[in-house]
Amino acid sequence: MVHKPSHSKASTLITIKTNHGDISVELFDDKAPNSCENFRQYARDGHFAGTVFHRVIPNFMIQGGGMDESMTAKPTREPIKNEADNGVSNTRGTLAMARTRVVDSATSQFFINLRDNDYLDHGTRDFGYAVFGKVTDGMDVVDAIAAVPTGNRGGHQDVPVDAVEIIEVTIEE
């Protein structure tokens, strides 16, 4: 199911400012209220400033929001409830909460789908990954990030050789 956001309530415009350019995002408050509020709170707290897209896999996704350039995890709040059963699919350009194998383990990390990844949807192989927004402008920036050279660093794979920094995340409500 492709989610068409309702415009009945004021939508939140998020700008993810990176050293590769800006990515504008619309949040799906009607479909993933907890994930959206969680993301906004991390943005308000300045948590994302100085984090990096630490996992970049072409033709899959780019993931960030939790680690600094040295691959050290930033402290987070408690994990949130997974909203992957909200009927919204992991399609190209959507944002979803990253998590561990534990269903309700998402904190600050998120990923942007580079293609339709419907196997990440609820019930396809497990509980799934909660989609909470979509890129409305700057998909060219997302694709540029997806094309950077990667390697291994700090026990992690698919790490950009040159840091892809999130400078700040701003909110316009």
Side-chain angles (χ1 to χ4, degrees):
M1 173 181 151
V2 175
H3 171 65
K4 301 284 187 222
S6 69
H7 294 287
S8 57
K9 58 193 277 190
S11 87
T12 304
L13 182 65
I14 302 287
T15 303
I16 302 169
K17 297 177 186 268
T18 78
N19 60 347
H20 286 252
D22 292 355
I23 304 164
S24 298
V25 173
E26 176 186 1
L27 298 183
F28 298 156
D29 283 293
D30 56 335
K31 293 292 187 178
N34 295 333
S35 300
C36 292
E37 184 51 37
N38 176 69
F39 187 86
R40 271 196 298 274
Q41 190 59 54
Y42 278 111
R44 284 186 208 107
D45 292 345
H47 174 87
F48 296 122
T51 62
V52 295
F53 280 101
H54 67 274
R55 188 169 173 229
V56 171
I57 304 174
N59 204 32
F60 177 40
M61 59 93 219
I62 64 173
Q63 180 176 331
M67 300 204 181
D68 66 19
E69 190 175 345
S70 68
M71 297 301 290
T72 301
K74 288 183 81 167
T76 61
R77 296 189 313 276
E78 290 299 307
I80 60 170
K81 178 153 183 46
N82 190 327
E83 296 174 302
D85 57 352
N86 64 7
V88 187
S89 186
N90 281 275
T91 56
R92 175 171 164 77
T94 57
L95 277 74
M97 294 304 301
R99 64 173 176 84
T100 66
R101 287 188 177 92
V102 176
V103 171
D104 295 327
S105 62
T107 57
S108 67
Q109 291 189 34
F110 63 94
F111 60 91
I112 302 174
N113 286 290
L114 298 172
R115 65 178 180 93
D116 293 356
N117 290 315
D118 56 356
Y119 68 94
L120 298 177
D121 293 349
H122 174 65
T124 306
R125 57 176 200 167
D126 64 11
F127 194 83
Y129 294 79
V131 174
F132 66 95
K134 73 170 183 180
V135 174
T136 57
D137 191 34
M139 204 57 202
D140 57 329
V141 175
V142 173
D143 289 334
I145 292 169
V148 301
T150 60
N152 299 330
R153 188 164 75 236
H156 297 269
Q157 297 176 313
D158 307 304
V159 179
V161 173
D162 296 316
V164 178
E165 183 183 355
I166 297 174
I167 298 162
E168 69 175 332
V169 175
T170 59
I171 307 172
E172 284 181 45
E173 296 187 69

